[in-house]
Amino acid sequence: MRGLCSRRMGSPGEGGAVEPMISVRGLWKVYGHRAERIVGSPEADLPRRELEARTGCVVAMRDIDLDVAPGEVFVVMGLSGSGKSTLVRCLTRLIEPTAGTVTIGGVDVTAATDAQLLDIRRHRVSMVFQHFGLLPHRTLVDNVAFGLELQGADKRTRRATAASTLELVGLHGMGASKPHQLSGGQQQRVGLARALATDPDILLFDEPFSALDPLIRREMQDEVIRLRRDVRTTMVFITHDLGEALRLGDRIAIMRDGRFVQVGTPAEVVLEPADDYVRNFVRDVPRSHVVPVAAIMDPLGEGPYAGDVAAETKVRDIVARVAVSEHPLRVVDADGAAVGCVDRIAVLSVIANEDL
């Protein structure tokens, strides 16, 4: 398969040119009496039940290292109890880590004073939970403006910002409504708007769409993809749904028993699983759903071409286009510059390897 093995998509900022927006080193969360004694000890590797029986402690998260680049969507996925929600809550110390460091935008969160921590939560990081947490007695505008109110913004500014943010998430003209008048999907859009209204550097999502029906869930995923393109906010997204992870993530971390089993691009996780656990996770995912066009493109020729396709487009999304044309598609980067071409043979080579 041309280019598929030789071309690897690195994480944003790879090569050290860009400082990470979030940096995590040696992060642990252990519950129980004298939890710190478990950190880094041989006992930490015991099965959960045996560790709890011996020490009364439970390891929820162990020795996590993580860098998230500015503008990256980093997805953490795993089964219930894998530690993913614990991780995202430790990033802003909603849960206090037992050991390790978290740095956000150069600020050591784990060493922050109460005042610094409050500033981080109000100005730099916003969080979207599974449960919307809307204030039932307030209008949508006032719900969205709540974070700005805590920041001390004047009423005119916060209401104007809230109205424009509601428009951004597709709720134009609904600012006077109350939460009970909305569907579940619309309420989650309000929660998203509230998180965006404070113009945070980072958005943290903790399984925000898991309670929604499939069609609304798809719409909300589309909304995140659109916001990622338009706003370029750094995002950490927690989910137990592989399809959601593959659709949203620039990179994905697979968690098991509090550890990262594998971290990589969607294509790397599907095509090069680190172990049998990951392999079982991704075994039913067709390659064409995760392989980007850029991974199979050839050098640019003289043409003619049947049109342009963005480099990050998945192979499955161009099958219909190449099937009806004898000419290749020109591949363009984010700036619209031509970087290669892809033809019918390259697409068919991916599809032919779906079951390998």
Side-chain angles (χ1 to χ4, degrees):
M1 194 179 303
R2 291 173 298 178
L4 188 57
C5 294
S6 61
R7 183 183 179 93
R8 296 173 63 88
M9 297 180 65
S11 62
E14 193 173 63
V18 179
E19 287 296 318
M21 181 63 72
I22 302 172
S23 184
V24 173
R25 292 293 178 269
L27 201 64
W28 289 72
K29 179 58 186 177
V30 183
Y31 293 97
H33 179 61
R34 293 180 57 214
E36 64 281 353
R37 77 188 189 278
I38 303 299
V39 174
S41 71
E43 291 176 313
D45 293 322
L46 293 173
R48 178 171 293 188
R49 289 185 179 179
E50 185 177 348
L51 175 65
E52 188 172 9
R54 284 193 189 185
T55 68
C57 292
V58 174
V59 178
M61 184 179 61
R62 62 187 74 204
D63 202 21
I64 296 294
D65 290 338
L66 166 66
D67 285 324
V68 182
E72 181 178 11
V73 180
F74 188 89
V75 177
V76 183
M77 72 157 298
L79 302 177
S80 296
S82 61
K84 56 190 187 297
S85 290
T86 300
L87 169 60
V88 76
R89 282 168 165 79
C90 281
L91 296 181
T92 56
R93 285 173 54 194
L94 292 177
I95 293 176
E96 288 286 349
T98 306
T101 61
V102 176
T103 303
I104 291 179
V107 178
D108 186 347
V109 176
T110 40
T113 64
D114 289 346
Q116 290 172 323
L117 195 56
L118 186 62
D119 181 73
I120 290 168
R121 292 173 180 171
R122 285 185 175 178
H123 297 275
R124 306 204 65 177
V125 181
S126 288
M127 195 159 185
V128 183
F129 295 95
Q130 176 182 342
H131 302 291
F132 318 128
L134 302 181
L135 302 171
H137 60 286
R138 290 194 173 204
T139 64
L140 303 192
V141 160
D142 287 336
N143 264 281
V144 173
F146 184 65
L148 295 168
E149 185 179 341
L150 293 177
Q151 289 182 356
D154 64 83
K155 186 174 183 178
R156 177 178 293 182
T157 298
R158 64 181 186 252
R159 289 180 67 86
T161 301
S164 64
T165 310
L166 282 170
E167 184 173 354
L168 182 67
V169 299
L171 295 177
H172 176 67
M174 297 183 66
S177 301
K178 295 287 184 67
H180 73 271
Q181 297 173 289
L182 274 58
S183 68
Q186 288 173 321
Q187 289 185 34
Q188 190 60 286
R189 287 175 186 266
V190 177
L192 181 57
R194 181 175 57 192
L196 288 167
T198 57
D199 192 24
D201 296 322
I202 298 166
L203 278 173
L204 306 178
F205 295 86
D206 189 10
E207 301 200 57
F209 309 145
S210 60
L212 304 178
D213 69 53
L215 287 178
I216 296 175
R217 185 170 188 159
R218 178 85 177 187
E219 289 179 3
M220 291 304 301
Q221 291 170 2
D222 290 341
E223 198 66 28
V224 170
I225 292 170
R226 185 181 67 81
L227 288 170
R228 182 267 178 112
R229 182 182 65 245
D230 295 346
V231 183
R232 298 300 299 171
T233 301
T234 304
M235 302 182 187
V236 177
F237 197 101
I238 306 299
T239 183
H240 64 267
D241 183 88
L242 178 62
E244 189 165 72
L246 295 173
R247 189 159 188 253
L248 298 180
D250 294 311
R251 286 187 299 150
I252 300 170
I254 307 290
M255 268 191 109
R256 183 186 188 188
D257 296 334
R259 289 190 176 99
F260 282 174
V261 179
Q262 183 171 2
V263 179
T265 66
E268 289 167 347
V269 170
V270 171
L271 301 179
E272 304 170 26
D275 60 14
D276 288 341
Y277 181 76
V278 180
R279 190 171 292 109
N280 286 332
F281 250 117
V282 303
R283 63 184 177 185
D284 295 325
V285 179
R287 291 180 171 218
S288 59
H289 289 208
V290 297
V291 174
V293 169
I296 61 168
M297 67 183 180
D298 285 323
L300 200 64
E302 295 182 0
Y305 296 105
D308 291 348
V309 59
E312 69 273 14
T313 304
K314 300 300 185 288
V315 168
R316 69 170 179 178
D317 295 325
I318 65 167
V319 171
R321 293 180 66 184
V322 299
V324 298
S325 175
E326 59 187 48
H327 300 302
L329 296 172
R330 187 171 57 179
V331 181
V332 297
D333 64 16
D335 297 321
V339 293
C341 64
V342 61
D343 60 18
R344 187 183 305 168
I345 294 174
V347 170
L348 288 175
S349 69
V350 176
I351 295 172
N353 281 278
E354 296 280 34
D355 297 326
L356 297 183

